Amino acid sequence: MTAACNPVLPGSHPDPSICRVGDEFFVVTSTFEYFPGLPVHRSRDLVTWELVGHAVHRDDQLDLSTVPASGGLFAPTIRHHAGRFHVACTLVGGRGRQGSFVLTATDPAGPWSDPAWIEDAPGIDPSILFDDDGRAWWCGTRLADPGDWPEQTEVWVRELDLATMSLVGDEHVVWHGAVEGAVWAEGPHLFRHAGEVLLLASEGGTERHHAVSAARGASPSGPFTGSRANPLLTHRHLGGDVPVANVGHADLVDDGRGGWWATVLATRRLPLDGARADALQGRETWLVPVVFEDGWPVFAPGTGRLAEEVDVPWAGAHAIDARSLVDHFDGPRSHPELVSVRTAPGVHRAGLGERRGHLRLHAVSGGLHEPAPHAFAGFRLEQPVATLATVLEAPDAPSPGVLAGLALRLSDRRHLTLGVRARAAGPIVELLLHVDGEDRVLGVAEVPAGRLGLVLEVDGFDAVARVEVGERRIVVGTADLSPLSPSEGGGFVGVVGGVFVVDDTAADGHDAAPAAFADFDVLSLVH
Ligand code: 6LW
C-alpha cells in the first residue's frame, strides 16, 4: 500500500515540526519531563518512520531534574540550514536554566550541540525562518501584556543573527489569532512561498478548540493579513463524539515533487460511559495532505478532516503493523525508544553493565507522585490495545518501603502501578491507582519469593493486572484507566508504560545514596 497510516507517530508525540533534506523528511516532537528528549524521526516516503536520534541525549545539555510534569521541553521546531539541523525549543519550569535555545547537529542521529540560549526571547514555541536572502527570522508566542482578555497571546518576530545566535533589530508583534477573542495563538511558523511570507499559527488551546490559521505578508516582520477561510483546519466544530479531536499545531513541508504536506497534533477519542474521552496515547502526530490555491494552503482538500489513511502517490508499497517494543537489557545500550522521567544521572542507564540481561534500577524517590527524577524506564503506549510485561525477583528479605514493578504513568498525580512489596509475612503484588494524592488499592495477591512475571493488559480504558508464577496466572485485579486519560487527568503528555522502583525510606532527589534497587529481566510492550 502507499497510504500513510495515521497517526504516523502513535503514542505521545505532540507538537510535531517537519523539514525535508533532499529526499528525506525529519520530524521532531515535544517530550516535556521525559529523557532523552526531542526525538527525531526520519522517513523517505512519509509512510514509514524510524527514530534516528534525540536532540536532547546527554544529561549535561539541559537540566530537567526539577521540571514539573508537563513542564520541561515544549514545542520544538526543526529546520535544516547550511548543512546543519537546527532545533529551536523552550525549557519551561524547574530550578535550572529556562528559556528558549537552539540545538544543532550535522547528523540527526547526533551528537547534538549544547544549547545556544537565545536572550530576550520570552514565551514559547520558537521557530526559525531561514530566508532566501540569507537572513534568519525568529518567531515565537507569549502572553500578551496587557492582553485584552485572559489567555490572549501574541506572535512576535525578530531577526536572528546566526553568527552570534542573538536577536537583533526591532521586535514585531504580528498576530493574535484569526478571530476576535482568540486565545493561545501559538505554534507559529514562517515560510517563504511564491514570493510572499506565509505565517501558520494555531489558536484556541491545545484541546477541543484547537485550530490552524494562516496569514500572508510581504516581509517576515509583517504586517500579515489572515486568510478569509480561517481557521483552515480544525475539528472543533464537530463536537466531542468524534474519533479524532484537538487538531492543531501544524507545520508544512514540500515534498520536492510538487506536493505539500502538514504534520499536526491530534488526539484519538475512545468511548467512555456513553460519551468519549481522549485516548491514553494523548497528543499524537498525524500527516495531512495540503494543496495551495491562490497562495493559500488548503488542508485535507475536499474533506477538511484528518483521515486514518492518507495516500502518498509516489510512495512504494509497505505493510505497516502495530509495533512491539521489547528490551531484554542484554545489549550495550538500552532500547532507543526507552524513556525515563526527568534526567537522573545513573538511574536508568547504570543498570545495564551491572548484571547483563537485567536492567537494574536504583530507587531515587519515595513515590512516583513526587515531582522528582524517578527510577523508571518505559515506552510510550502507542495503541489503545497493548500488553505491558516484565519479569523480576520477588525478594525473600522484607523491605516494606520498597515497591518495584510496572507502571502506567500519565503524570506525577496520576498513575497505575502493579508492584511487588516484600513484607515480613512474605511478598505481595499490589495493584494501585494513584489519583491526585490518593492511592486506591485495586487488588492484592500473595506470591512466593523468586521469579515473577507481571502483566498489564490494556484495552481502551480497561486494564487487567496479572502475576505469573511458573505456570500459574493469578489475576491481581482490574482497573478503570479513565483517570489516566489526558482529558480527565490533564497535562500535555500521553501515558508511558514501564518498570519502576521506589523506596519511601529513600531521601528525595538523585544525590541520595541508593536505598534499594530492582533488577528487571525484560520490558515488553506488545501492541
Ligand atoms: C505547546 C503549545 C501547545 O508549546 O501546547 O498545542 C504547548 N500547543 O504550542 C505544549 O505542548
Side-chain angles (χ1 to χ4, degrees):
M1 62 182 225
T2 57
C5 290
N6 271 319
V8 287
L9 300 182
S12 186
H13 287 105
D15 307 322
S17 171
I18 188 167
C19 73
R20 179 176 63 83
V21 184
D23 58 3
E24 294 183 325
F25 300 87
F26 297 88
V27 166
V28 66
T29 47
S30 52
T31 44
F32 303 92
E33 69 268 34
Y34 286 94
F35 181 89
L38 309 182
V40 180
H41 286 83
R42 176 176 57 199
S43 177
R44 286 176 177 271
D45 57 10
L46 299 166
V47 176
T48 50
W49 291 87
E50 59 167 336
L51 176 67
V52 289
H54 289 86
V56 176
H57 57 97
R58 294 190 309 275
D59 289 337
D60 57 3
Q61 277 172 298
L62 294 163
D63 181 4
L64 295 175
S65 62
T66 56
V67 299
S70 286
L73 294 169
F74 270 40
T77 295
I78 189 164
R79 297 289 183 259
H80 190 262
H81 172 74
R84 294 188 82 77
F85 289 88
H86 292 66
V87 166
C89 188
T90 311
L91 195 153
V92 178
R95 295 195 292 274
R97 180 155 188 183
Q98 298 185 36
S100 289
F101 57 86
V102 177
L103 303 166
T104 60
T106 50
D107 182 346
W112 285 80
S113 71
D114 285 335
W117 293 93
I118 308 297
E119 302 292 342
D120 302 320
I124 57 171
D125 296 2
S127 185
I128 304 173
L129 168 68
F130 293 100
D131 210 352
D132 299 343
D133 60 3
R135 295 169 78 181
W137 298 85
W138 177 273
C139 68
T141 190
R142 65 181 179 209
L143 274 174
D145 180 28
D148 287 335
W149 41 82
E151 302 178 350
Q152 187 188 6
T153 58
E154 57 193 22
V155 173
W156 60 278
V157 177
R158 258 183 101 183
E159 187 167 1
L160 176 67
D161 182 303
L162 292 172
T164 58
M165 274 297 184
S166 58
L167 300 177
V168 294
D170 292 339
E171 174 188 287
H172 307 268
V173 172
V174 296
W175 190 246
H176 290 90
V179 297
E180 176 81 4
V183 297
W184 304 120
E186 64 188 14
H189 296 296
L190 295 172
F191 308 88
R192 181 61 74 171
H193 180 257
E196 285 194 301
V197 179
L198 179 73
L199 166 68
L200 215 57
S202 292
E203 65 193 60
T206 191
E207 294 166 350
R208 283 280 298 285
H209 294 103
H210 219 189
V212 180
S213 289
R216 259 167 36 192
S219 150
S221 58
F224 290 99
T225 305
S227 165
R228 290 163 67 182
N230 280 336
L232 299 184
L233 180 66
T234 184
H235 280 198
R236 68 184 173 194
H237 54 302
L238 303 175
D241 191 15
V242 285
V244 190
N246 312 352
V247 178
H249 209 103
D251 197 7
L252 273 178
V253 71
D254 80 86
D255 62 18
R257 297 166 158 90
W260 286 82
W261 304 87
T263 49
V264 299
L265 74 77
T267 312
R268 290 183 270 181
R269 307 256 304 160
L270 296 180
L272 179 68
D273 300 335
R276 284 179 191 256
D278 289 354
L280 302 184
Q281 285 62 44
R283 303 179 305 157
E284 305 176 285
T285 293
W286 290 61
L287 184 73
V288 185
V290 175
V291 295
F292 271 84
E293 288 183 9
D294 304 325
W296 292 107
V298 177
F299 292 82
T303 69
R305 289 215 207 181
L306 268 51
E308 276 179 16
E309 287 197 357
V310 170
D311 189 37
V312 182
W314 42 267
H318 301 275
I320 298 177
D321 295 319
R323 316 188 291 166
S324 293
L325 299 163
V326 183
D327 196 342
H328 290 282
F329 306 123
D330 46 7
R333 291 162 176 272
S334 52
H335 192 290
E337 304 272 357
L338 212 57
V339 294
S340 184
V341 181
R342 303 182 178 93
T343 308
V347 170
H348 51 286
R349 284 173 295 178
L352 290 174
E354 289 177 44
R355 230 180 117 191
R356 256 300 149 97
H358 294 76
L359 174 69
R360 173 163 294 181
L361 293 181
H362 291 277
V364 286
S365 62
L368 294 182
H369 60 280
E370 291 175 4
H374 294 307
F376 172 93
F379 296 123
R380 292 167 178 82
L381 218 58
E382 294 188 351
Q383 302 296 340
V385 178
T387 301
L388 184 69
T390 191
V391 173
L392 77 167
E393 297 274 315
D396 222 352
S399 51
V402 179
L403 190 67
L406 291 176
L408 292 175
R409 180 183 189 272
L410 176 70
S411 63
D412 300 328
R413 296 164 60 93
R414 302 219 173 181
H415 43 265
L416 178 90
T417 56
L418 177 65
V420 182
R421 194 184 293 284
R423 308 163 311 164
I428 53 170
V429 173
E430 294 174 343
L431 180 64
L432 302 174
L433 182 65
H434 184 92
V435 175
D436 302 342
E438 188 197 332
D439 271 330
R440 301 178 197 161
V441 181
L442 304 179
V444 178
E446 295 192 357
V447 290
R451 267 169 78 89
L452 295 178
L454 297 178
V455 182
L456 279 170
E457 282 175 2
V458 179
D459 187 348
F461 298 118
D462 296 313
V464 180
R466 283 192 279 116
V467 56
E468 297 180 351
V469 184
E471 298 293 293
R472 278 169 61 212
R473 295 169 150 221
I474 306 160
V475 173
V476 183
T478 58
D480 166 14
L481 298 178
S482 62
L484 305 189
S485 160
S487 54
E488 309 293 307
F492 293 139
V493 195
V495 169
V496 177
V499 288
F500 78 99
V501 55
V502 296
D503 179 356
D504 64 19
T505 60
D508 289 355
H510 55 262
D511 293 334
F517 64 83
D519 285 332
F520 299 91
D521 275 21
V522 61
L523 176 65
S524 67
L525 180 61
V526 176
H527 292 108

